[in-house]
Amino acid sequence: MEAEEFDRRFDAGEDMSAVLDTARARHPGEEHRRVNATFRHG
């Protein structure tokens, strides 16, 4: 899909989630960090 068509459809309020590759999405300037967490119940 061309960028112009994507923009037009997005601006029209269409659901664009089907055409986005969210598996590779990143926030600009942020790196991955490993976090360890322990959850205790009771």
Side-chain angles (χ1 to χ4, degrees):
M1 170 183 313
E2 297 286 331
E4 292 81 12
E5 181 182 356
F6 181 94
D7 290 344
R8 181 184 56 75
R9 292 172 63 180
F10 179 83
D11 291 342
E14 290 188 38
D15 180 5
M16 303 305 292
S17 61
V19 297
L20 298 175
D21 181 4
T22 57
R24 296 177 53 190
R26 300 280 187 267
H27 287 273
E30 291 188 11
E31 59 186 56
H32 284 128
R33 291 171 281 189
R34 181 176 298 270
V35 177
N36 294 321
T38 301
F39 297 93
R40 300 180 194 267
H41 183 269

